[in-house]
Amino acid sequence: MKDSIEPIADHSASVSLPPAVEYCLSMRTGAIPFQFDLNDLLAKARRQFAGRVGDVSFNLPFVSFSVSPKDHEKQIARELVIRLRDRRVLSAWECCDDCIDNALASLREIRQTLVEKQVELSGAQDGPLYLLIDAMLLGIRQFMTYEEVLRRSPQAPPHPRFDKYCLPEHRQGYFDGLELLRGHLSRCLGQISAIAGMETPKEGLIANYQGPWDKQAYLPG
């Protein structure tokens, strides 16, 4: 029998929100301040999984595959979903400098958890779960680099990865970038739940960040 986990609910439409929360929501512009670069990872996925036939389908931006996860992968995938789905940084509203610092610290903790799970998967590095964790780590790493670029002095030399974008001021750029990352991580977790065999939304585990992959958020291959 498959495990069943309900997505995190969004009750904002049915309640009167405090002014501070309304302000935080107003900071969400829907802008795409940068694009994730998953091209090397997607090329690796095509090499590893193209032509395979399996009982589980999973997808990433621009590609989809069928695989047959091992029991060890399913167990670790289930642990990841249970551990990460309620992390506040993946769904909370914040708009103060302390909240930004706390969110960045929480993302570092998530990154550490993901690395630990990859160590547990050292014997299955060619499997789908290892690849999906890699996709999450890449997203976090690129967001953190972007956030560091936002804080740089205007006199700093151009950054080869991000200076082609028109960078906003730090706080607004941070919010827009975090929204982008949340969508990426939510959809990755949805795919991990498919590997785990859990009855959860596969197009995003977090209610506010569901739906098909937003291909505009990714560099085309």
PDB file of all heavy atoms in Angstrom, residues 37-39 42 46 62 218-221:
ATOM      1  N   ASP A  37      20.892  26.673 -14.656  1.00  0.00           N
ATOM      2  CA  ASP A  37      21.642  25.968 -15.697  1.00  0.00           C
ATOM      3  C   ASP A  37      21.759  24.499 -15.297  1.00  0.00           C
ATOM      4  O   ASP A  37      22.577  24.134 -14.457  1.00  0.00           O
ATOM      5  CB  ASP A  37      23.029  26.594 -15.868  1.00  0.00           C
ATOM      6  CG  ASP A  37      23.817  25.953 -17.010  1.00  0.00           C
ATOM      7  OD1 ASP A  37      23.319  24.975 -17.609  1.00  0.00           O
ATOM      8  OD2 ASP A  37      24.928  26.436 -17.306  1.00  0.00           O
ATOM      9  N   LEU A  38      20.909  23.660 -15.902  1.00  0.00           N
ATOM     10  CA  LEU A  38      20.928  22.219 -15.645  1.00  0.00           C
ATOM     11  C   LEU A  38      21.432  21.437 -16.851  1.00  0.00           C
ATOM     12  O   LEU A  38      21.250  20.218 -16.924  1.00  0.00           O
ATOM     13  CB  LEU A  38      19.515  21.724 -15.290  1.00  0.00           C
ATOM     14  CG  LEU A  38      18.799  22.342 -14.086  1.00  0.00           C
ATOM     15  CD1 LEU A  38      17.470  21.628 -13.865  1.00  0.00           C
ATOM     16  CD2 LEU A  38      19.649  22.283 -12.834  1.00  0.00           C
ATOM     17  N   ASN A  39      22.063  22.108 -17.786  1.00  0.00           N
ATOM     18  CA  ASN A  39      22.377  21.458 -19.059  1.00  0.00           C
ATOM     19  C   ASN A  39      23.293  20.248 -18.900  1.00  0.00           C
ATOM     20  O   ASN A  39      23.078  19.210 -19.539  1.00  0.00           O
ATOM     21  CB  ASN A  39      22.977  22.470 -20.036  1.00  0.00           C
ATOM     22  CG  ASN A  39      21.914  23.400 -20.607  1.00  0.00           C
ATOM     23  OD1 ASN A  39      20.759  23.007 -20.762  1.00  0.00           O
ATOM     24  ND2 ASN A  39      22.284  24.632 -20.901  1.00  0.00           N
ATOM     25  N   LEU A  42      21.215  17.454 -17.386  1.00  0.00           N
ATOM     26  CA  LEU A  42      20.261  16.883 -18.341  1.00  0.00           C
ATOM     27  C   LEU A  42      20.967  16.009 -19.370  1.00  0.00           C
ATOM     28  O   LEU A  42      20.439  14.967 -19.779  1.00  0.00           O
ATOM     29  CB  LEU A  42      19.480  18.003 -19.026  1.00  0.00           C
ATOM     30  CG  LEU A  42      18.578  18.839 -18.111  1.00  0.00           C
ATOM     31  CD1 LEU A  42      17.912  19.958 -18.900  1.00  0.00           C
ATOM     32  CD2 LEU A  42      17.524  17.976 -17.427  1.00  0.00           C
ATOM     33  N   ARG A  46      20.199  12.037 -20.006  1.00  0.00           N
ATOM     34  CA  ARG A  46      19.924  11.418 -21.309  1.00  0.00           C
ATOM     35  C   ARG A  46      20.841  10.224 -21.546  1.00  0.00           C
ATOM     36  O   ARG A  46      20.410   9.191 -22.075  1.00  0.00           O
ATOM     37  CB  ARG A  46      20.088  12.460 -22.418  1.00  0.00           C
ATOM     38  CG  ARG A  46      19.029  13.558 -22.404  1.00  0.00           C
ATOM     39  CD  ARG A  46      19.179  14.478 -23.606  1.00  0.00           C
ATOM     40  NE  ARG A  46      18.207  15.565 -23.575  1.00  0.00           N
ATOM     41  CZ  ARG A  46      18.477  16.802 -23.172  1.00  0.00           C
ATOM     42  NH1 ARG A  46      19.710  17.105 -22.751  1.00  0.00           N
ATOM     43  NH2 ARG A  46      17.543  17.737 -23.176  1.00  0.00           N
ATOM     44  N   PHE A  62      12.415  19.747 -19.903  1.00  0.00           N
ATOM     45  CA  PHE A  62      12.751  19.356 -21.274  1.00  0.00           C
ATOM     46  C   PHE A  62      12.891  17.846 -21.484  1.00  0.00           C
ATOM     47  O   PHE A  62      13.012  17.408 -22.631  1.00  0.00           O
ATOM     48  CB  PHE A  62      14.051  20.032 -21.759  1.00  0.00           C
ATOM     49  CG  PHE A  62      14.125  21.508 -21.487  1.00  0.00           C
ATOM     50  CD1 PHE A  62      15.017  22.012 -20.556  1.00  0.00           C
ATOM     51  CD2 PHE A  62      13.294  22.397 -22.159  1.00  0.00           C
ATOM     52  CE1 PHE A  62      15.091  23.376 -20.297  1.00  0.00           C
ATOM     53  CE2 PHE A  62      13.357  23.764 -21.906  1.00  0.00           C
ATOM     54  CZ  PHE A  62      14.258  24.253 -20.972  1.00  0.00           C
ATOM     55  N   TYR A 218      14.759  28.006 -16.893  1.00  0.00           N
ATOM     56  CA  TYR A 218      15.927  27.162 -17.149  1.00  0.00           C
ATOM     57  C   TYR A 218      16.580  27.551 -18.472  1.00  0.00           C
ATOM     58  O   TYR A 218      15.888  27.828 -19.463  1.00  0.00           O
ATOM     59  CB  TYR A 218      15.513  25.686 -17.180  1.00  0.00           C
ATOM     60  CG  TYR A 218      14.891  25.245 -15.881  1.00  0.00           C
ATOM     61  CD1 TYR A 218      13.519  25.377 -15.670  1.00  0.00           C
ATOM     62  CD2 TYR A 218      15.672  24.750 -14.842  1.00  0.00           C
ATOM     63  CE1 TYR A 218      12.942  25.011 -14.460  1.00  0.00           C
ATOM     64  CE2 TYR A 218      15.099  24.382 -13.631  1.00  0.00           C
ATOM     65  CZ  TYR A 218      13.740  24.518 -13.446  1.00  0.00           C
ATOM     66  OH  TYR A 218      13.175  24.169 -12.250  1.00  0.00           O
ATOM     67  N   LEU A 219      17.904  27.554 -18.470  1.00  0.00           N
ATOM     68  CA  LEU A 219      18.617  27.804 -19.715  1.00  0.00           C
ATOM     69  C   LEU A 219      18.317  26.681 -20.700  1.00  0.00           C
ATOM     70  O   LEU A 219      18.413  25.502 -20.349  1.00  0.00           O
ATOM     71  CB  LEU A 219      20.123  27.871 -19.459  1.00  0.00           C
ATOM     72  CG  LEU A 219      20.657  29.115 -18.743  1.00  0.00           C
ATOM     73  CD1 LEU A 219      22.145  28.943 -18.452  1.00  0.00           C
ATOM     74  CD2 LEU A 219      20.423  30.364 -19.577  1.00  0.00           C
ATOM     75  N   PRO A 220      17.969  27.011 -21.929  1.00  0.00           N
ATOM     76  CA  PRO A 220      17.725  25.950 -22.914  1.00  0.00           C
ATOM     77  C   PRO A 220      19.017  25.226 -23.256  1.00  0.00           C
ATOM     78  O   PRO A 220      20.105  25.812 -23.223  1.00  0.00           O
ATOM     79  CB  PRO A 220      17.164  26.713 -24.121  1.00  0.00           C
ATOM     80  CG  PRO A 220      17.682  28.106 -23.960  1.00  0.00           C
ATOM     81  CD  PRO A 220      17.777  28.360 -22.482  1.00  0.00           C
ATOM     82  N   GLY A 221      18.888  23.950 -23.563  1.00  0.00           N
ATOM     83  CA  GLY A 221      20.061  23.153 -23.890  1.00  0.00           C
ATOM     84  C   GLY A 221      20.614  23.468 -25.265  1.00  0.00           C
ATOM     85  O   GLY A 221      19.984  24.096 -26.085  1.00  0.00           O
TER      86      GLY A 221
END
